[in-house]
Amino acid sequence: MSVIAEAVLADGRKLPYVVADDPPRGGMKYTYFAPDKSYVVQFFNDPMVGLDPNTRKRLDAIIGRYNPTRPESEGGAPGNSAAIATYFSGKFCWPTAIVRAPEFGIVCPAYPSNFFFTEEASTVLPLKGKDKRSRWFTSFRNRQYLELEELGDFRAMLQMSISLARSIRRMHQAGLAHSDLSCNNVLIDPKSGSCVVIDIDSLVVPGLFPPEVVGTHGYIAPEVMESLTLPPGDPNRKLPSSYTDLHALAVLLYEYLLLRHPLEGPKIYSPSSPEEDDFLAFGPKATFIENPHDTSNRPPDLPMTIHDLGPYLEKLFLRAFVDGLHHPDERPTAMEWEKGLVKTWDLLHPCENPECAAGWFILHDLRHPVCPFCGTPVKRENLLRLHLKSPLRGRIGQWMHAGEVAVYHNMPLFKWHILANTFPDEKADREMQAYICKHQGQWLLVNYKVQGMTSPRGSLVPTGQAILLRNGTVFRASNDARGFLIEVTQGQD
């Protein structure tokens, strides 16, 4: 029979939790579940934590004025509407309250059920009930123990990458840094393409509350790794910050998309000492395995490279792991990652091989339209691309390049494909505006909801009607002042 205890919150409210003989325990806290498993009560392993007034102040700030999962009207982050708070509630397991008795602790939402393995996840390992930490899916050794349906496809991994970049961007916009962003603190579900950031209670509030942890091996920024041997308080010691988050973010994104670590290559830095070799490999001598100027750490056979991810991500990864690896201020911001990933999403194309495990790839090179995962080429008649052009302000009839969309059957189009200066962030309208389909060998763009779409001849295209897409077709997505001019190309460059 379960024993129910009560946690007394800082505001005097009481919450029940189920006492377990051997509760799950991490590096800083141990956890009890609510009777209905909708939330968890976590107590700190070190009972002295609650006596530190700075810890209480930090938690108050995190739960209150820095909280992106709570509307501003309820004491959350400035500018946060109820809709935005709801959106980010699904991206973070953000603490909701401080517990003052029977011990000092916090209350957090429980992870959604899809972030726990079911009994069907593996026929080899007993994974039922374990949380889906990233490394289960990004390590070849671990992936082989999972059933295929658990692994998702490449599109799901790209979707998770966008979600993670957006979450970290929102956190950084609030002035916060995670300090321990890693495979352990981001749970992922490739089946649904979703992820959730956890262990929020140790966030760094720059200028107010210093970091409590330095990070997780493999995700610690080189400058932090290099200065670990310096004594606490030494002005040359580098501590976790938003800059170190950006290194960890880039590592996670690289792992999601290419299923390997960006610094783990064949190079031996110290033949006589494994510890020194590891220190150098992730610290002062860290070398990107795809560094175009230094191939000393490059594995002999890379089946895919950053080039296969398209021009936007290739440039960002070079900035992160070549320019910014040892120069933190050169690293791409989370917002830059979000924008680059979104642009890359528009270049997704389904592989025409039904047996391809990845299912999708980035169709960025029309001169060589081949799936890099399985080598299957795209048929010429399926190489259709929309070139989006935005109006130049104050220059009637003049347009500038604003993006490209790789077309596939039953592809939805949204407002950001119709109107310039529209971005698919947390505030975006995600209702489909139009869709593209292939019917009797012809490509059609069907107007689902757009007002003011015009045909190549300039006549209005009512909702429910379609535009025939052929090489050279040009039309206005909308007669709104921000409406894109869309040019269609078909076939190879």
Side-chain angles (χ1 to χ4, degrees):
M1 183 176 178
S2 300
V3 176
I4 305 297
E6 283 190 330
V8 182
L9 307 187
D11 61 7
R13 288 180 296 140
K14 297 180 179 180
L15 288 180
Y17 63 91
V18 179
V19 177
D21 292 334
D22 186 21
R25 189 178 296 268
M28 294 186 66
K29 300 181 296 294
Y30 58 99
T31 302
Y32 295 113
F33 285 86
D36 64 357
K37 296 191 175 180
S38 63
Y39 60 86
V40 296
V41 176
Q42 297 183 308
F43 298 113
F44 288 86
N45 294 329
D46 180 1
M48 301 302 290
V49 168
L51 300 178
D52 182 358
N54 284 332
T55 297
R56 289 178 175 267
K57 288 179 182 178
R58 177 171 58 243
L59 288 173
D60 279 334
I62 291 170
I63 292 169
R65 64 184 185 274
Y66 290 103
N67 190 344
T69 69
R70 178 182 291 182
E72 182 180 12
S73 60
E74 298 177 13
N80 236 29
S81 66
I84 292 176
T86 298
Y87 179 89
F88 281 113
S89 292
K91 307 297 182 185
F92 297 101
C93 271
W94 205 276
T96 58
I98 294 176
V99 177
R100 61 176 172 84
E103 299 177 46
F104 182 75
I106 57 173
V107 178
C108 289
Y111 309 150
S113 60
N114 62 302
F115 293 109
F116 293 97
F117 285 114
T118 63
E119 192 171 2
E120 294 74 30
S122 176
T123 58
V124 181
L125 298 177
L127 296 180
K128 182 181 179 181
K130 293 184 181 296
D131 46 26
K132 295 182 178 180
R133 296 175 188 260
S134 302
R135 194 53 71 88
W136 278 111
F137 304 93
T138 60
S139 161
F140 175 77
R141 184 178 62 182
N142 292 339
R143 286 173 63 88
Q144 63 184 332
Y145 297 121
L146 300 177
E147 293 296 293
L148 287 178
E149 55 267 24
E150 285 291 329
L151 301 178
D153 56 25
F154 179 76
R155 182 170 69 164
M157 301 304 272
L158 183 60
Q159 183 175 327
M160 290 189 311
S161 299
I162 295 172
S163 178
L164 178 59
R166 182 168 296 145
S167 298
I168 302 308
R169 182 263 297 166
R170 180 64 186 89
M171 196 168 62
H172 287 181
Q173 282 180 331
L176 301 170
H178 190 284
S179 81
D180 190 16
L181 193 62
S182 73
C183 62
N184 294 328
N185 292 329
V186 181
L187 305 183
I188 68 176
D189 176 32
K191 290 196 293 185
S192 64
S194 57
C195 68
V196 62
V197 182
I198 64 174
D199 280 0
I200 303 296
D201 53 286
S202 295
L203 292 181
V204 178
V205 184
L208 294 178
F209 308 112
E212 292 185 335
V213 294
V214 295
T216 299
H217 183 70
Y219 303 88
I220 300 173
E223 67 273 14
V224 175
M225 191 79 174
E226 187 174 356
S227 65
L228 282 178
T229 56
L230 297 176
D234 189 306
N236 294 315
R237 184 166 180 173
K238 305 298 183 184
L239 298 175
S241 66
S242 60
Y243 286 111
T244 64
D245 277 358
L246 295 178
H247 173 76
L249 172 62
V251 172
L252 286 167
L253 297 177
Y254 188 89
E255 289 183 316
Y256 292 171
L257 300 175
L258 293 170
L259 307 182
R260 59 178 183 256
H261 194 284
L263 305 181
E264 292 179 355
K267 185 174 183 177
I268 303 299
Y269 298 86
S270 177
S272 60
S273 170
E275 293 80 10
E276 178 73 7
D277 180 75
D278 186 79
F279 170 75
L280 294 173
F282 291 96
K285 299 295 184 181
T287 306
F288 181 34
I289 62 173
E290 296 192 55
N291 189 318
H293 314 298
D294 181 353
T295 60
S296 61
N297 197 34
R298 189 181 181 93
D301 180 26
L302 288 178
M304 274 189 64
T305 68
I306 54 175
H307 180 72
D308 295 307
L309 300 178
Y312 308 114
L313 296 186
E314 182 178 19
K315 290 177 182 177
L316 288 169
F317 277 123
L318 288 174
R319 283 179 55 196
F321 297 130
V322 179
D323 304 334
L325 187 58
H326 298 285
H327 300 279
D329 55 350
E330 299 281 343
R331 293 169 187 159
T333 65
M335 180 175 288
E336 288 177 296
W337 279 113
E338 183 183 2
K339 289 181 177 180
L341 289 160
V342 166
K343 287 182 178 180
T344 301
W345 179 271
D346 281 340
L347 299 181
L348 269 174
H349 200 272
C351 180
E352 297 185 9
N353 173 11
E355 302 301 318
C356 179
W360 298 77
F361 68 99
I362 306 303
L363 180 54
H364 65 95
D365 185 357
L366 294 178
R367 295 166 298 180
H368 187 63
V370 175
C371 172
F373 295 99
C374 70
T376 302
V378 182
K379 296 182 180 69
R380 187 186 185 282
E381 61 267 24
N382 292 333
L383 292 175
L384 197 73
R385 183 152 296 194
L386 307 184
H387 302 266
L388 310 181
K389 299 181 179 182
S390 59
L392 281 172
R393 184 179 300 176
R395 299 184 184 181
I396 298 175
Q398 295 189 41
W399 307 84
M400 63 181 293
H401 176 77
E404 295 181 358
V405 179
V407 169
Y408 54 86
H409 179 56
N410 285 340
M411 177 180 186
L413 298 176
F414 302 93
K415 278 194 174 177
W416 51 90
H417 300 121
I418 306 298
L419 302 175
N421 301 320
T422 306
F423 186 71
D425 59 11
E426 63 274 14
K427 300 183 289 295
D429 178 354
R430 284 179 162 73
E431 187 170 358
M432 184 178 72
Q433 302 295 305
Y435 64 92
I436 295 172
C437 64
K438 195 174 187 181
H439 180 67
Q440 297 181 348
Q442 294 183 315
W443 287 98
L444 302 175
L445 186 150
V446 181
N447 184 5
Y448 182 72
K449 198 181 178 184
V450 180
Q451 300 299 315
M453 181 180 291
T454 59
S455 72
R457 295 187 177 183
S459 57
L460 286 175
V461 180
T463 56
Q465 298 299 305
I467 294 174
L468 179 63
L469 302 179
R470 293 182 292 197
N471 190 48
T473 297
V474 179
F475 64 97
R476 284 290 299 274
S478 169
N479 57 15
D480 183 285
R482 296 175 296 149
F484 282 127
L485 182 75
I486 298 181
E487 181 179 356
V488 181
T489 58
Q490 185 169 21
Q492 296 170 310
D493 289 342

